[in-house]
Amino acid sequence: MSSITPAEAPRPADERAGGAAGTGELLRHVVEVASRALRAPAALVSLFADGGETIAAATGLDGAGAAGPLRLAPFLDLDGGDGAGGGRVFAVQDARKGAGGAAAAALLGAGLVALLGAPLLDAAGQRIGVLAAGDPRPRRWQPDEATLLRQLAAVAASAVERLADGRYPPERALSAAWLRRSFDDALAGHAVARADGRILACNAEFARIAGFESIEAALAADLRSLEARPGDFAALLDRLAATPVIPLEELRFVRRDGAPAQVLAKLAATLDEAGNVGEIRVYLLDITERHRAEEALRASQERLRLVELATHDVHWEWELATGRMAWNGAVAQRFRYAPEEIRPSIDWFEDRIHPADRERVVRGLERAILGVDNSWSDEYAFRRGDGSYATVLDRAHVVRNGRSEPIRVVGCMLDISERKAAEEMQRFLARASDALEEALEVDVTAQTLARLAVPTLGDFCLVDLLGPDGAVRRVAVAHTEPGRERLLGAGGVLAAGPGPPDGGPAPTPIAVMRAGAPDFVGACGDTPGNAAELSRRLCVAPEAAPRGYVSVPIEARGRLLGAVTFGLSSPRRCFGPLDLMAARDLARRAGLALANSATYESAQRAVVARNEVLGAVSHDLRVPLTTMVATLSLLDDTTPDRREDVRQWHEMLRRATDQMKALIDDLLDASRMESQRFTIERRPERPGALVAGACAMLQPLAAAKNITLEVDAPPDLPPISVDGRQIARVLGNLVSNAIKFSRPGGSIRVRAEVRDTELWISVEDEGEGIAPEQLPRVFDRFWKRQPTDRRGAGLGLAIASGIVAAHGGRIWVESQEGAGSTFTFALPLLAPVDVRLPPDAEAAPSPASAPGALPGDAVAT
């Protein structure tokens, strides 16, 4: 890469006056360029001679000059941003910190805090001076700034050597060849033009900046055509007529190919004796990349500022060498501190970490600083200015130097208190929903609601419900101190009707129900109400001493059910926005639970009433039916020789009475099962004999429809403890249903087998099958495959399910339309210790025993 050229060539008069004058003018211009290019308030050049150092040119030093005490040589051996010694750049970010000694003191005495410098090296590589840029504020110098300063230093060193040796040509005319030899290695663009703008000479950098393919192409042009379209540079040319010298200015430049650029430009005009422009000199320095970097930095800083405004995140920076800790403005707003309360020290930060978290957080930071991992994060409690604690998520990065030594830590602290509180509140509401769903009665649901709310949403809770008669009763209360619940008016009537009883203001729960909107007193930022007045509003004893409340109507499915009130008695609590939202959410969930409880209670009352009716009707029918059965038995005994038609009528009456008796028994058993009063008489049974006996009774019915009834029940199946009569009833219901819905000529298979610790009995038919949408309702009472089907009352499968459940078993169905159905029930086998078979266990059962019964004691369940 080439070096930066002298910004202005010396005039012959300067040469005749001596090299020092020419050198001074050039160095003054270099200082000016350095100050503008690096945006540094001060810049200076010092030269070494005869073992001493002299400031040759300076700007912005507040009086520091050649005779001043400021010396730059000592800084050359400091460890800077780009290394130390040789031709490398040194950097001082803050002279108030770190090394420097007397040199740093002199720098501070000159009004400078930050310094960026580069040595001037001669052809042999020896230091002949220093070029530096300074800032009265601490500054972190960037790599591109160091590179630019190094290039300016190379230009200054070359010019100083040439002027000192008298190597500039004495001729007054400046030829293009001379310019090329002098400035071909320049980073700055330099051109000389006539008064009309015709370019007489330029270097390669000037041609590149303007967008020419070569120097020759530039020499064929003029200054007015440098830009693709007239812009800021053309305006500078217009100003030359009035101002022969235009100091260094930054301007937008449009190259000949249309590409935008940013340049530093200086123009100077030589005037003849008449005051007319005779020659124009142009100096251009391309700072496009630097400008882009600054724009990107500004955009990044703006984005960071906007992010801080949007998130209010707290940013901090900890300088490890000094222990100084800097915070952004969000720390005061986020954590409720006055600006003067925030101290820039690590101790202030550590003191505000909760004692339970402090050791962990401090040790975690130490491990990140002393280890190799540069990242750290933790979640802990941080004390606010009012003494409360916020939950924060803190993340940090350890910044290290070139030797991997930690120099500072930067972090971002995110206040997640609201998020944690919201998460906890959502967990609370989820638990509340589960608890409310488990309560089936209205009073139990109301009491569950009151217990759930304390202490999460208040110090006490009142649940007032609207009754069918229009009265509002306090059905449930809860308090953080159970002994004070007697003060909350549990069981009392707030209003006997829709209006206030005394004509005065209605109590708060009733007012809330009328308005259909919440009411609250004592929210955060609100003044707590008078305890006596609040006691009257809430209908509680004055000793309850309420300080605030939130009262919310309870509604569900468009119906007003009541109101729930969450009260505060502690002076340290207040209702925040999250509490108000949670109160409404809990009231909504409670409304659904109360509505469901009311529906359940209504259904239970209807079931009880129905069962009472069924029981009464069945009992009333059973009396005349018993008389009919007895009369038929007498007729059998008294008229043995009756006519054939009379005998047929008699048989029809007997079948009708048997069906009526079975139907009444089914109704009574279904009612007992629903009320959990159904009982069975257990005894050990042989499954094979039990299944065979039950199927034998239904064989004639199957034969009447030309249906084959196959039974697969091995006689050596292990015994089971069941009510044989009831299990035979289950089999009878399943097999009779299979016969009923099977086509003539089909077959039914009844199979019994042992699976693990259960006996499985299945009935498989080849009938019509059951539609998938009907399968879940097969075992419901009064269910029929076709509503118009008059065959049976629809209780058989429900009773079968109830009998199996009473035995501790299970029953299910598998079916496919058009391919038949398989009903299966499983019963637990007898444990080996329960089997007590007599020596004649293989003997045939006695006539008094049920089919398949084994001798043994009956067990009622």
Side-chain angles (χ1 to χ4, degrees):
M1 180 179 290
S2 59
S3 304
I4 291 183
T5 64
E8 183 177 358
R11 297 185 181 184
D14 294 333
E15 297 168 15
R16 288 192 295 269
T23 303
E25 181 181 352
L26 184 142
L27 293 182
R28 283 193 297 274
H29 187 63
V30 169
V31 165
E32 182 182 356
V33 171
S35 176
R36 293 293 300 275
L38 274 68
R39 299 184 187 276
L44 65 158
V45 172
S46 67
L47 297 178
F48 305 154
D50 300 327
E53 179 180 357
T54 303
I55 296 179
T59 181
L61 281 187
D62 298 331
L70 181 58
R71 297 292 181 266
L72 301 181
F75 292 102
L76 289 173
D77 296 322
L78 292 180
D79 186 6
D82 194 29
R88 291 179 291 180
V89 175
F90 67 85
V92 177
Q93 296 182 8
D94 191 343
R96 298 170 299 182
K97 304 176 184 178
L107 184 65
L108 294 173
L112 299 179
V113 173
L115 191 69
L116 178 69
L120 275 61
L121 303 177
D122 60 14
Q126 299 298 315
R127 299 170 180 169
I128 61 173
V130 180
L131 171 64
D135 200 309
R137 297 172 299 176
R139 177 166 173 176
R140 189 172 300 156
W141 301 99
Q142 302 302 318
D144 62 327
E145 294 173 328
T147 301
L148 182 58
L149 189 69
R150 184 191 298 114
Q151 294 167 346
L152 286 170
V155 171
S158 176
V160 168
E161 277 198 295
R162 290 178 178 180
L163 287 171
D165 296 343
R167 282 185 281 154
Y168 281 108
E171 295 84 2
R172 182 176 182 83
L174 298 178
S175 66
W178 182 88
L179 282 173
R180 289 193 188 94
R181 288 194 303 271
S182 300
F183 304 122
D184 274 350
D185 61 344
L187 185 65
H190 180 199
V192 178
R194 294 188 315 207
D196 60 359
R198 178 77 181 196
I199 300 175
L200 300 176
C202 71
N203 64 353
E205 180 63 11
F206 181 89
R208 186 197 67 80
I209 293 175
F212 292 103
E213 296 179 355
S214 64
I215 294 177
E216 288 70 18
L219 295 177
D222 60 65
L223 296 180
R224 293 279 177 182
S225 62
L226 285 187
E227 291 187 283
R229 55 182 179 273
D232 294 347
F233 185 76
L236 291 182
L237 292 175
D238 293 337
R239 287 166 51 190
L240 271 179
T243 307
V245 177
I246 297 178
L248 201 65
E249 291 193 13
E250 183 176 331
L251 54 88
R252 294 174 59 229
F253 191 86
V254 182
R255 303 184 199 274
R256 293 174 60 83
D257 59 1
Q262 202 78 12
V263 300
L264 286 175
K266 179 175 181 179
L267 278 71
T270 301
L271 303 180
D272 57 19
E273 296 178 357
N276 299 318
V277 175
E279 182 182 271
I280 300 174
R281 284 163 292 164
V282 179
Y283 307 96
L284 299 179
L285 181 62
D286 190 351
I287 59 170
T288 303
E289 293 303 322
R290 173 179 172 79
H291 182 76
R292 289 174 181 169
E294 291 174 348
E295 288 296 321
L297 180 60
R298 280 193 292 270
S300 177
Q301 291 173 338
E302 179 65 14
R303 286 194 297 269
L304 180 60
R305 187 184 69 83
L306 293 176
V307 168
E308 289 183 1
L309 290 175
T311 63
H312 297 290
D313 291 349
V314 177
H315 296 270
W316 53 269
E317 184 173 351
W318 175 20
E319 293 288 346
L320 298 177
T322 63
R324 185 178 180 84
M325 200 167 189
W327 302 82
N328 69 339
V331 66
Q333 181 179 2
R334 175 62 69 178
F335 297 126
R336 307 169 191 169
Y337 283 102
E340 59 272 12
E341 294 178 312
I342 302 170
R343 298 198 309 274
S345 68
I346 187 64
D347 294 336
W348 185 85
F349 164 68
E350 292 180 356
D351 288 344
R352 272 141 191 81
I353 302 174
H354 194 281
D357 300 327
R358 186 176 299 146
E359 182 73 14
R360 185 190 76 251
V361 173
V362 172
R363 294 295 169 261
L365 270 171
E366 288 179 354
R367 284 192 295 271
I369 293 170
L370 300 177
V372 296
D373 190 359
N374 294 333
S375 298
W376 168 85
S377 66
D378 201 350
E379 185 177 308
Y380 57 90
F382 188 82
R383 190 170 76 244
R384 299 187 180 99
D386 59 4
S388 63
Y389 279 89
T391 302
V392 300
L393 175 62
D394 203 351
R395 293 160 293 181
H397 177 77
V398 181
V399 180
R400 304 179 187 273
N401 61 14
R403 293 189 295 270
S404 296
E405 297 171 338
I407 56 176
R408 66 180 180 277
V409 184
V410 293
C412 177
M413 188 183 293
L414 178 64
D415 187 351
I416 59 173
S417 304
E418 295 178 0
R419 190 188 76 187
K420 298 288 285 188
E423 291 174 353
E424 182 58 36
M425 189 60 69
Q426 288 302 316
R427 287 191 289 268
F428 162 73
L429 292 173
R431 294 193 300 269
S433 293
D434 295 339
L436 290 170
E437 289 174 359
E438 293 177 359
L440 297 178
E441 291 79 18
V442 171
D443 290 349
V444 175
T445 303
Q447 192 61 49
T448 301
L449 170 61
R451 295 295 179 198
L452 286 170
V454 175
T456 303
L457 292 180
D459 298 319
F460 62 87
C461 180
L462 315 172
V463 181
D464 303 297
L465 297 184
L466 182 64
D469 56 354
V472 178
R473 294 179 175 84
R474 182 152 295 168
V475 298
V477 299
H479 200 288
T480 52
E481 301 177 30
R484 298 175 65 85
E485 290 181 356
R486 58 183 177 79
L487 304 174
L488 303 180
V493 178
L494 273 67
D502 57 359
T508 292
I510 295 178
V512 165
M513 285 188 276
R514 289 176 180 169
D519 182 28
F520 60 88
V521 171
C524 288
D526 191 12
T527 303
N530 178 271
E533 173 63 18
L534 295 186
S535 299
R536 185 196 65 77
R537 290 192 206 175
L538 301 179
C539 298
V540 299
E543 292 80 6
R547 292 177 54 84
Y549 65 83
V550 171
S551 189
V552 184
I554 301 176
E555 299 174 315
R557 304 185 183 103
R559 292 178 52 233
L560 179 65
L561 304 179
V564 57
T565 303
F566 311 98
L568 298 179
S569 57
S570 170
R572 303 189 65 180
R573 293 189 65 175
C574 64
F575 290 113
L578 184 62
D579 299 312
L580 301 180
M581 290 188 292
R584 301 186 68 165
D585 198 344
L586 183 59
R588 179 183 60 80
R589 299 175 190 228
L592 294 175
L594 287 168
N596 293 337
S597 298
T599 302
Y600 173 79
E601 288 186 349
S602 177
Q604 288 297 102
R605 288 192 296 269
V607 168
V608 171
R610 185 197 63 196
N611 289 340
E612 290 176 353
V613 171
L614 286 176
V617 171
S618 299
H619 182 272
D620 292 344
L621 289 175
R622 202 178 187 95
V623 173
L625 183 61
T626 302
T627 302
M628 293 171 62
V629 171
T631 303
L632 287 173
S633 297
L634 290 175
L635 287 175
D636 283 343
D637 296 336
T638 56
T639 57
D641 298 325
R642 59 174 65 91
R643 296 196 322 249
E644 182 63 27
D645 55 349
V646 173
R647 196 161 43 248
Q648 292 177 356
W649 298 339
H650 184 272
E651 186 61 29
M652 291 173 60
L653 286 173
R654 180 181 297 281
R655 287 199 300 270
T657 53
D658 288 344
Q659 290 177 358
M660 290 180 63
K661 183 175 181 300
L663 178 59
I664 291 173
D665 288 343
D666 285 349
L667 288 171
L668 290 174
D669 284 343
S671 178
R672 293 190 190 103
M673 289 174 183
E674 187 162 359
S675 59
Q676 299 182 349
R677 291 185 289 108
F678 180 75
T679 60
I680 57 175
E681 299 287 334
R682 289 181 181 268
R683 68 177 64 243
E685 298 279 359
R686 289 193 186 95
L690 184 62
V691 172
C695 291
M697 297 175 63
L698 295 168
Q699 187 67 46
L701 184 60
K705 289 188 66 175
N706 193 25
I707 293 175
T708 302
L709 183 59
E710 301 174 3
V711 179
D712 180 10
D716 58 348
L717 290 172
I720 55 176
S721 177
V722 295
D723 187 328
R725 185 179 66 85
Q726 296 294 352
I727 295 301
R729 188 176 176 188
V730 172
L731 278 167
N733 286 346
L734 296 180
V735 175
S736 62
N737 271 358
I739 294 172
K740 183 189 307 182
F741 295 105
S742 293
R743 303 179 183 89
S747 63
I748 298 173
R749 288 170 294 280
V750 181
R751 180 181 296 106
E753 58 182 332
V754 174
R755 295 198 181 185
D756 295 330
T757 59
E758 293 178 320
L759 174 71
W760 284 29
I761 301 175
S762 60
V763 178
E764 180 181 358
D765 63 54
E766 299 175 350
E768 304 171 5
I770 304 171
E773 64 273 11
Q774 292 184 326
L775 285 175
R777 301 183 56 244
V778 164
F779 297 102
D780 293 349
R781 288 195 303 168
F782 307 112
W783 176 82
K784 293 184 179 182
R785 187 174 311 183
Q786 297 293 336
T788 58
D789 192 348
R790 300 298 181 184
R791 296 173 292 181
L795 290 172
L797 292 178
I799 290 174
S801 176
I803 293 173
V804 171
H807 284 82
R810 51 202 178 94
I811 187 170
W812 66 93
V813 60
E814 298 170 283
S815 182
Q816 184 176 357
E817 282 190 285
S821 305
T822 300
F823 285 83
T824 306
F825 64 95
L827 301 171
L829 294 172
L830 271 176
V833 71
D834 293 331
V835 179
R836 299 187 298 276
L837 298 179
D840 58 346
E842 297 302 322
S846 63
S849 301
L854 291 173
D857 297 331
V859 181
T861 60

